[in-house]
Structure formats: structure tokens, C-alpha cells
Amino acid sequence: MVSIQKITAREILSSGSTPSIEVKVVLDDGSIGIASVPFGASAGIHEAFVLFDGDKKRYGGKGMLKAVTHVHKMIAPLLVGKDPFDQKAVDTMMITLDGTPNKERLGANAILGVSVAVARAAASSLRMPLYSYIRKTLKLRIPGYVLPAPMMVCIEGGKHADQSTDLQEYMIASFGAPSVKEAVRKGIESYLALKSVLKSHAYGVNVGNEGAFAPAGLKSNEEPLQLLMEAITKAGYVPGKDAGISIDPAISEVFQEGRYRLPKDKKQLDSAGMIDYFVAWAKKYPAIISMEDCLHQDDWDFWPKFTKRIGDRVLVVGDDLTVTNPKRLQKALDTKSINAILIKLNQIGTLTETVECCMLARKHGCVTIISHRGGGETNDTAMIDLAVAVNASFVKVGPSRGERVEKYNRLMEIEDELEKKCSFIGKEFRLVH
Ligand code: PGA
Ligand code: ZN
């Protein structure tokens, strides 16, 4: 019987120039698994707890040495000698040791690092790619592999960039292609076309947290939609056929004292007004395929109203609303609040719970979109293996900067590896409307 021999952790740097945590797991057959953990800049209030040191003398309080210590002093003693091949048991032991609802004792960053590193070590021991190992250890019954389509953040504002829009993300989702590789190319070409479109409108091409353009001086929160339409067309593609537009306003970030505040539009709206605002966009821009976090993370009364208005034509995506938490997803499904969910491993903090959330969504026909993070990303590509394991519809990441393109490089590598044993969702993907 192979068992876990050693678990170590260290503080590394993330894309946000603040620390993150990397965990290394060694099995007694010599197999090694390494994982690192990202975190968000506009994290939802219901997410699992990211343990920062809080010591202002180091990295302004953002160090992760406490999480590192928790791996060494608490998690390693618990798991060394245990079976690495039962992922659910490994994750459950850590959840039980933590004992809090949001993993605040050990830190979800410490727990997730170990969770993914154990899975990688076990996959390596069995000489399996991580995506197929996830299916095996968590006993997923999913027929075949259908690879996800790219969703690339092309213009960003909000908490991800100064002087840009109030809203956080404007994306190009590329499909209408025979393969992931072709869809990635379409997305990247549209992103590069956007650069020259921005220049032609005399806007700057500086980038924000995720490598998306963050032009100062935009006239409204709507203007990026026109710029994206222009970019897709300039790249030689047809909006709505080759590529769609997705938005993530991350609207909880602009919610204050009961109103949604949009200084760029000189508007302050209530929930009904916010719904009208976004429904008007969906009507005016038929290329919009998905709208994420368009209402506050606890605005449960209005989410169902929004989905009722546009859910037949547009993916209404929960992110801060659902935080990859099966309990919050169940509530969102019961109340018909969403028809799609954003999935981030670190929002919940273990591989097992993340997959459970994806499978619950799948069971109810709720579309899954696996996502990167905007606060501090790392070069870890587990989100891609996860997306492939659960047949997610989209991966939201990139399109520029090393820690983002690494994800697409992994997805294209998997496409090569699976050759004829997989298909691509973007081949048949039709807009819902
Ligand atoms: P975050 O933003 O990772 O900075 O929280 C990404 C998102 O809201 O989707
Ligand atoms: Zn979001």
C-alpha cells in the first residue's frame, strides 16, 4: 500500500506581487505532487477563508507564513501515513480537523494546497493525467471528454484596474470552431485586434490585474461592449457566431447603502433598476452570451426576477452569489436564481467539494464555467484539469500574462493528449437565443 510520506509548504509569489502558498506532497513510492493556490481581489463575502498573516511588517500583512505553518504543524501530522488515493477521505479529514464552516482555523489556502497536491501525487503514482485521476478518485460517471470553450477577459475595471470602468470584466468567449486550439486562436486574435481598436479611438492599452486592457477615459460602462464588437469584427469574425461577449460586473463591489453606484454613468440604481439596465444591454447586444454577478451576492429576491427576464437567451452566472458552495448553489437552483455557475477551487477550499458543486450543477442542467482569480494567480493549472474532468462548458481565464496563458497551454496540451477521444463544446455551441 502506497501512503503519504511527507507534506511541505512554502510561501511563493503570486501574480499580484503578494505571497501565495505552494504545497509539495511526496508519497512513499517516490511520487511527487505540487500545487499552488490563487486568491481573489473582489472575493465574495461568503467564500472560504484565505488566511493571511496580518503582520503589517511583511508584505503589508499579506504574508502566508501562518498557512505554511498550519500545513507543517497540523495538516502533515494528520495525513502522513494515510492513503493518498481516496481524495474524498483526505479532504474530509482536513475539513473535520478545521471544524469551522468556512475553513478559518487552518485557512482554505492551506487546505486547498494540500488537497490538490495530494491528487497530483496520487495521479503521478498511477501515471494518470490529473483530469482522468479526478474522475477516477471521485467516481464521476461522465461519458467522454467534451473540452471547454475559452472565455477571455479583454477589458477590465472595478477592483481590477484604476481609472477604467466601474464594472469589472468584459470578455470574449470564442466558439464556432472545430477545436480548442482554433477557438483559442480566435479569442487571442480578437484580443489583439482590440488593442488596435483601442489605439484607433485614442485610448491607452495599459492592462489591469488579469492582463485585460484597462483604458482610462471611457465614456460609459457600456462603451467596452461596442469596442469588443468592433474588435471581433476587425479580427475577421462574426460576433455571436464565432465569438460572443460575456460580462462580469462583480456588482457587489459597487453596492453601498442599498444602491448600486455607477459614477461612470452618473447613476445610482436599486435592484429593479439594475435589472432593467442589464436587460437593456442583453437586448441591444445579441452577441452577449453570459452575464455574471449582475446583482448583489445576497439579493436573493431579485436574482430570480433577472433570470426570468433573460435566462432563456443568456447565461445568468452566479459567482459571489454561489461561491462554489454546494449549499448556496442548491439555494440558487431551488429559487431559479441562475442557469450557470462560476467555479473557483479556492472559493470552497477542497477538490472534493469543488467537484461536488460542479456535479450538482451538471445534474440540474446548470452550465459550469471554471475560473481563474484576479487578486493573485499562480502558474498552477489545476483549474484546467478540473474543467476537463467535469466537462465544464467554459474556462474563464486570460488571454494574456504568463500565469493566464499557462492555463490555455495546458488545455491545448490535453486536447493533443486526448486526440480523437475528445470533442470540443465550441463545435456545436449555439447561442441560447
Ligand atoms: P476575483 O475576480 O478573482 O478578483 O475575485 C474574478 C471574478 O469576480 O470572477
Ligand atoms: Zn465574478
Side-chain angles (χ1 to χ4, degrees):
M1 264 299 284
V2 175
S3 60
I4 298 173
Q5 186 180 66
K6 197 173 174 194
I7 303 179
T8 52
R10 66 185 184 116
E11 194 181 55
I12 60 166
L13 291 175
S14 74
S15 66
S17 303
T18 53
S20 192
I21 182 172
E22 180 188 88
V23 176
K24 182 174 178 183
V25 168
V26 183
L27 309 185
D28 58 12
D29 67 354
S31 305
I32 292 174
I34 295 176
S36 55
V37 178
F39 56 90
S42 63
I45 54 175
H46 302 289
E47 293 194 17
F49 186 75
V50 181
L51 178 61
F52 293 108
D53 293 345
D55 172 4
K56 295 274 182 235
K57 291 197 284 305
R58 293 188 73 252
Y59 294 111
K62 294 284 178 68
M64 287 213 180
L65 294 180
K66 276 187 187 164
V68 167
T69 304
H70 288 178
V71 172
H72 292 154
K73 296 266 160 61
M74 296 203 260
I75 301 177
L78 174 78
L79 294 181
V80 166
K82 300 285 187 336
D83 175 8
F85 300 110
D86 186 346
Q87 187 68 31
K88 190 168 182 185
V90 166
D91 289 342
T92 306
M93 279 187 268
M94 288 193 283
I95 291 167
T96 308
L97 174 68
D98 177 84
T100 67
N102 66 344
K103 305 186 175 66
E104 67 185 281
R105 183 163 166 245
L106 299 175
N109 37 347
I111 295 175
L112 181 63
V114 175
S115 179
V116 175
V118 167
R120 278 222 172 88
S124 158
S125 173
L126 298 175
R127 293 182 167 67
M128 290 174 84
L130 182 58
Y131 58 86
S132 55
Y133 175 71
I134 291 173
R135 283 198 179 179
K136 178 182 156 63
T137 183
L138 294 172
K139 303 183 179 65
L140 308 187
R141 269 187 238 109
I142 301 177
Y145 287 105
V146 182
L147 302 183
M151 193 179 262
M152 299 177 173
V153 189
C154 291
I155 293 182
E156 62 187 331
K159 276 239 169 113
H160 287 180
D162 289 337
Q163 299 172 349
S164 178
T165 46
D166 304 319
L167 308 184
Q168 188 173 283
E169 294 165 15
Y170 301 81
M171 295 168 269
I172 292 177
S174 46
F175 36 81
S179 64
V180 166
K181 280 193 217 77
E182 288 300 289
V184 166
R185 184 172 62 78
K186 279 186 176 182
I188 296 291
E189 287 172 1
S190 303
Y191 170 75
L192 293 175
L194 178 62
K195 190 172 191 170
S196 49
V197 166
L198 286 168
K199 283 183 179 168
S200 73
H201 288 266
Y203 287 128
V205 289
N206 291 337
V207 299
N209 281 16
E210 297 176 344
F213 298 116
L218 287 168
K219 289 177 262 318
S220 66
N221 288 309
E222 185 184 327
E223 197 184 353
L225 298 174
Q226 290 150 8
L227 295 166
L228 290 193
M229 295 286 289
E230 206 179 318
I232 295 169
T233 311
K234 189 177 169 64
Y237 302 119
V238 180
K241 184 169 161 278
D242 298 300
I245 292 174
S246 296
I247 59 161
D248 174 12
I251 208 76
S252 296
E253 300 295 330
V254 303
F255 188 77
Q256 271 172 8
E257 290 147 20
R259 310 282 284 183
Y260 296 96
R261 286 159 206 265
L262 304 171
K264 191 117 234 148
D265 300 328
K266 299 189 180 53
K267 279 191 176 138
Q268 289 191 15
L269 301 170
D270 59 11
S271 298
M274 204 69 255
I275 290 177
D276 289 342
Y277 178 97
F278 287 121
V279 168
W281 282 13
K283 285 196 179 135
K284 188 167 167 192
Y285 301 92
I288 291 182
I289 60 154
S290 78
M291 300 180 116
E292 177 185 334
D293 277 355
C294 288
L295 289 166
H296 184 267
Q297 55 207 327
D298 283 317
D299 201 350
W300 288 102
D301 289 343
F302 283 85
W303 274 87
K305 294 187 171 75
F306 184 50
T307 299
K308 200 162 179 206
R309 294 267 299 272
I310 57 162
D312 59 336
R313 303 181 281 137
V314 171
L315 298 175
V316 178
V317 188
D319 172 17
D320 292 349
L321 178 79
T322 36
V323 293
T324 313
N325 184 323
K327 290 198 190 92
R328 286 185 74 88
L329 171 59
Q330 188 63 58
K331 180 169 176 183
L333 293 167
D334 292 345
T335 52
K336 297 193 169 51
S337 291
I338 55 171
N339 58 16
I341 180 171
L342 208 76
I343 298 285
K344 296 162 169 166
L345 283 148
N346 90 307
Q347 279 182 325
I348 186 76
T350 64
L351 186 56
T352 302
E353 291 164 291
T354 308
V355 169
E356 198 190 313
C357 195
C358 296
M359 295 307 282
L360 178 62
R362 213 184 130 80
K363 189 170 140 202
H364 292 271
C366 178
V367 164
T368 47
I369 304 166
I370 316 295
S371 172
H372 65 169
R373 297 291 337 219
E377 249 304 332
T378 74
N379 287 358
D380 195 290
T381 54
M383 63 163 275
I384 296 297
D385 284 74
L386 167 71
V388 174
V390 301
N391 278 4
S393 295
F394 291 95
V395 286
K396 171 178 152 177
V397 60
S400 79
R401 301 184 29 152
E403 76 281 1
R404 321 273 157 190
V405 297
E406 193 63 15
K407 302 338 184 226
Y408 287 115
N409 291 338
R410 172 69 183 140
L411 184 58
M412 294 189 290
E413 179 182 47
I414 294 174
E415 184 172 56
D416 280 344
E417 201 169 282
L418 287 171
E419 283 183 86
K420 294 190 173 53
K421 292 198 286 297
C422 67
S423 59
F424 171 49
I425 191 164
K427 215 179 340 189
E428 281 104 44
F429 190 76
R430 295 273 177 277
L431 297 184
V432 224
H433 50 289

